[in-house]
Amino acid sequence: MTFSVVIVAAGSGTRAGPGQAKQWRVLAGKPVLRWSVEAFLAAGAGEVVIVTTADGEAFLPRILEGLQGWRSTLGGATRALSVQAGLAALSERPGAEPVMIHDAARPFVSRNVILALLGALADADLALPALAVADTLKRQPTGEAAQTVSREHLWRAQTPQAARRDTLIAAYAAWTHGEPTDDAQVVEAAGGRIALTAGDPLLTKLTYPEDFAMAEHLAGVARVTRVGQGFDAHRWGPGEEVWLCGVAIKHDETLVGHSDADAGLHALTDAILGAIGEGDIGDHFPPTDPKWKGAASDQFLKHAVDLVTAKGGALVNVDVTLICERPKIKPHRQAMRERLAEILSIPVDRVSVKATTTEKMGFTGRGEGLAASAVVAVETPA
Ligand code: MG
């Protein structure tokens, strides 16, 4: 049976961590979106419409390079509007032909799931894969004790959800209850019969950063931990404040450099680049480029984190040591940890900032300059 597909990839997906939205990120060596597009095409989809943002449309040719049979259209402000935009963008096809509506954040669609959905449409208006609820469920209203809820007859709905094209268009046109939770709810409200097919644990939705690691484990993809090290130093000069680890500190001198001379952020940026074999900070932000004069160094660090994310990786922890006689670092240490955690989008307990002096020895001891060293651990697909 021929069928077409609408994949909704219009979300910004900020809960999945920094960097690109989750549908563009690499999972087990392939962008998240590409996994499901390939699966649908391999299962015989006649056409795949990807509903996305203007930025997304710019990414697609690269992410789906070499694949035929897909097109894209711009999404709306809500998922429901995006689904309707996708349905409208399907080329002229029979109204009775099945359409699968799918969320881009569920990359591992299997042929079995697709075939079961098509089969179930023989006597249903919409079919969706669903998993039985295995865990005992609790309900705890605010301020009250927890109560046990029966999990009998409860199922976890997944996507793709399949229905005939005319059924979906008519049901969405008739829907007046705000934002639906899925397509099945819309067809159900229009009086349609909903069928459940066997769900797949691999169809898990990628929502949080740790979901990527779990999905790769499920897919049998090994991950490795890589360590990176960075070092930086800047000279003291006349000034009234100094930037260290993203925090401005009142001081009777400042660090001199092409950017804001935040040696802590520079050492950390180099450590991250080192962990993923991406050269050093000067390769990415040449000091000869006037664009980086006086630049805030948090953008260098964010760029390094984005490179990790693009490789399907995640930061595990970071440890920065500042080496100077003055200023005293300890009163600012917690603010530095919190600022770094914010830039890196990791919990603060995975961020360490330490300080030491060199007992008046060497350039830091004589007060000529400040040095910083950093070590990071990064987890990436093997
Ligand atoms: Mg530097």
Side-chain angles (χ1 to χ4, degrees):
M1 194 192 307
T2 54
F3 64 97
S4 48
V5 180
V6 171
I7 301 182
V8 184
S12 58
T14 47
R15 278 179 298 175
Q20 297 160 303
K22 59 195 166 192
Q23 60 266 28
W24 316 125
R25 286 171 57 173
V26 174
L27 175 70
K30 229 186 276 187
V32 167
L33 176 67
R34 188 175 178 114
W35 280 97
S36 45
V37 174
E38 283 185 356
F40 284 119
L41 291 174
E47 184 177 20
V48 177
V49 167
I50 296 149
V51 189
T52 187
T53 58
D55 283 350
E57 287 204 306
F59 278 127
L60 284 174
R62 184 160 49 83
I63 280 178
L64 300 179
E65 195 180 350
L67 299 181
Q68 308 291 329
W70 63 271
R71 65 166 85 190
S72 64
T73 191
L74 288 177
T78 64
R79 184 183 183 280
L81 291 171
S82 292
V83 168
Q84 291 174 83
L87 291 170
L90 287 168
S91 54
E92 271 310 309
R93 307 186 73 87
E97 186 182 274
V99 182
M100 305 225 171
I101 312 289
H102 186 57
D103 289 330
R106 300 181 192 267
F108 300 132
V109 188
S110 73
R111 187 181 182 85
N112 283 348
V113 162
I114 293 169
L115 294 180
L117 291 171
L118 293 174
L121 284 185
D123 53 8
D125 295 299
L126 181 143
L128 66 116
L131 290 170
V133 175
D135 298 323
T136 297
L137 294 178
K138 302 292 177 190
R139 183 172 171 277
Q140 185 171 34
T142 309
E144 293 180 32
Q147 305 145 4
T148 302
V149 177
S150 168
R151 67 186 177 209
E152 200 183 1
H153 308 311
L154 292 183
W155 295 83
R156 293 156 55 204
Q158 300 181 314
T159 78
Q161 302 195 346
R164 301 187 190 284
R165 182 182 176 177
D166 285 350
T167 304
L168 284 167
I169 291 174
Y172 268 103
W175 175 261
T176 53
H177 309 290
E179 181 64 6
T181 183
D182 65 358
D183 310 293
Q185 191 185 10
V186 177
V187 171
E188 183 191 332
R193 181 174 181 278
I194 311 299
L196 302 183
T197 60
D200 186 345
L202 277 177
L203 268 177
T204 181
K205 188 173 187 175
L206 304 176
T207 305
Y208 300 102
E210 54 270 30
D211 294 344
F212 282 74
M214 192 188 68
E216 287 187 333
H217 283 305
L218 284 173
V221 177
R223 288 175 76 84
V224 291
T225 302
R226 303 170 176 212
V227 171
Q229 177 264 341
F231 180 84
D232 193 35
H234 282 270
R235 183 181 292 279
W236 288 115
E240 292 169 353
E241 68 170 16
V242 57
W243 282 89
L244 287 171
C245 293
V247 173
I249 298 172
K250 288 273 165 258
H251 191 51
D252 52 11
E253 283 184 301
T254 193
L255 290 173
V256 182
H258 187 66
S259 64
D260 63 8
D262 187 330
L265 291 191
H266 295 178
L268 187 49
T269 303
D270 260 358
I272 294 171
L273 294 173
I276 56 172
E278 285 285 346
D280 64 29
I281 194 169
D283 294 336
H284 296 267
F285 305 97
T288 48
D289 189 337
K291 189 161 67 175
W292 309 120
K293 183 157 175 55
S297 298
D298 57 351
Q299 63 193 300
F300 305 156
L301 189 55
K302 281 188 186 128
H303 175 74
V305 174
D306 286 350
L307 291 175
V308 171
T309 306
K311 286 178 184 278
L315 280 176
V316 179
N317 71 306
V318 309
D319 186 13
V320 181
T321 303
L322 299 173
I323 307 160
C324 59
E325 302 293 328
R326 304 171 54 241
K328 283 261 170 284
I329 300 301
K330 200 167 184 176
H332 308 285
R333 199 156 81 177
Q334 190 56 21
M336 290 175 178
R337 292 179 69 206
E338 284 166 11
R339 178 64 187 134
L340 290 179
E342 184 183 6
I343 300 170
L344 300 167
S345 292
I346 60 175
V348 73
D349 69 352
R350 299 202 201 172
V351 178
S352 160
V353 175
K354 314 197 296 302
T356 186
T357 71
T358 48
E359 300 280 341
K360 302 272 198 284
M361 297 178 289
F363 72 88
T364 56
R366 291 188 297 271
E368 293 167 16
L370 172 147
S373 84
V375 175
V376 305
V378 171
E379 200 185 50
T380 66

